[in-house]
Amino acid sequence: MATFDMIVVGSGGGPDETNLSGYLLKPREAAWNDGIIALEAGSGLGALRHIMKRDPNIFGERPTDANPTSFTPLTVYSNVKCFLLTHAHLDHISSLVMAAGTLGGARKRIYGSTQTLRDLETVFSGRVWPKLATYDENNPLLQLVYHALHADGKYKVIFPNISVRFMTVNHGMSDSGQYDGACFFIRHDPTNHEFIFFGDVEPDSISAEPKNIAVWRAAAPKIPHDISTIFIECSYQTGRPEAELWGHLSPVHLVQELVTLATEAHKSRSGSRPRKKQRKNSTSPDALHGALQGVKVYIIHCKEQFSTERPINHVIGDQCRELLAPHQLGVELLTADQGMKIVI
Ligand SMILES: [Zn+2]
Ligand SMILES: [Zn+2]
């Protein structure tokens, strides 16, 4: 069942500033000019301009007399009703900052954790950039309104027919301690169909306080019927030393995380079956075969090396697939490429 349309404005994790995390989203049954969710805001107007040059019909058919709406990057971003941000690192917010003074259309909410919004305030401070956002919903002078999301286990409506559950994950350390990232469960309310979107995340295997396991446990009972798509980062190639992950995944960790999800999905299914003789090790590798059948995982946020002939996300995608194959989880591993239209 397809319930969302997504356009990948950018899917890289830097340092290539022309391809940074930025995704446009809408419910399948609505039109792009009914309103758009900007999921992350690394790349924006400039990247979209290049995408639309290559693919002028990416938002639908050419304008006709009956439907004279023609999309430009600016009209697309004017149609954005809200920004949904996992954290305030520059590769996730830079296009929002650059365009904040020029976006047309209705007022736009910026959804993120309390900390993410506080971090953004330090940019919109009047020093790094003018103060272009406010917490005051009624301020007539500012178009961008901060709106905090809380990791309270609840789904919050952020757009007609779309709700979001926010969970905190670990994204490495900063001088002040653990740096929080976020994971969103994005739900199409009329059908209860959801997908999971991770911002930057470190592996549970090296976390002092693992948090991904809670995401996998929340997801497991819904797989694959209600949750069949996951976006997760894999910033680095195979061979990256763990001490240099800086709060990110490499292929071996991505595979570990997916095996954990498969284990939870298997447990959740066997828990609901009538009790047979309990096997000693119910999560032996064989038991996980096919545990993620029907699930698509999109790899995002690969860090450009400027050294590979092929796109870095394809190189990393192949590395992940090779490591994942022996587990036979049944999951389909894909890459989200800039300019791609994804039906979820
Ligand atoms: Zn990032
Ligand atoms: Zn980050």
Side-chain angles (χ1 to χ4, degrees), residues 110-162:
I110 303 174
Y111 288 105
S113 70
T114 309
Q115 183 63 54
T116 296
L117 300 183
R118 259 187 227 139
D119 294 341
L120 209 50
E121 273 186 277
T122 67
V123 178
F124 290 127
S125 64
R127 300 300 308 172
V128 179
W129 208 240
K131 186 176 184 278
L132 292 166
T134 176
Y135 285 95
D136 178 3
E137 299 266 353
N138 301 312
N139 184 329
L141 300 175
L142 295 173
Q143 198 192 9
L144 294 170
V145 183
Y146 299 119
H147 205 100
L149 291 175
H150 303 286
D152 56 6
K154 294 184 184 137
Y155 285 78
K156 181 183 173 62
V157 177
I158 62 156
F159 191 88
N161 287 347
I162 296 184

Side-chain angles (χ1 to χ4, degrees), residues 87 89 91-92 171 200 248:
H87 62 304
H89 278 162
D91 54 317
H92 300 253
H171 179 21
D200 301 353
H248 294 291

